[in-house]
Amino acid sequence: MSTLHKDNAVSTTEDRKPHIIQDYNSNKGGVDCLDKLTGAYTCKRLTARWPVAVFHNILAVSAYNAYVYLITVLQLSSQ
């Protein structure tokens, strides 16, 4: 289920994995890193209501995105 890969191309290496699997494996590290960082500094609370849990997740990811943006801006302004 990908909009990037329209065909079923397979790699030429000896493992013969599909390109869609190789792309997933090369990019999944970013998601793991985001989960680790948002888990360390979280605002989540125990709740039985799923909208509140989704809101807390959106808040955590937004805070991390703001941090990445701030670091990028500060690095560009110091050059």
Side-chain angles (χ1 to χ4, degrees), residues 2-79:
S2 173
T3 57
L4 178 65
H5 302 280
K6 302 293 184 197
D7 58 351
N8 53 357
V10 178
S11 70
T12 57
T13 59
E14 66 183 52
D15 61 1
R16 308 268 304 150
K17 289 184 180 178
H19 287 294
I20 190 170
I21 300 297
Q22 289 179 328
D23 285 345
Y24 170 78
N25 288 338
S26 66
N27 293 319
K28 70 179 179 181
V31 174
D32 293 339
C33 182
L34 176 67
D35 288 342
K36 183 176 80 172
L37 290 172
T38 57
Y41 304 103
T42 184
C43 65
K44 292 182 182 178
R45 302 289 180 256
L46 286 177
T47 181
R49 297 176 16 206
W50 69 266
V52 176
V54 169
F55 173 73
H56 286 152
N57 190 31
I58 290 171
L59 192 62
V61 172
S62 298
Y64 179 72
N65 287 342
Y67 171 73
V68 169
Y69 180 74
L70 176 67
I71 294 300
T72 304
V73 168
L74 291 176
Q75 286 176 350
L76 289 176
S77 66
S78 67
Q79 291 179 355

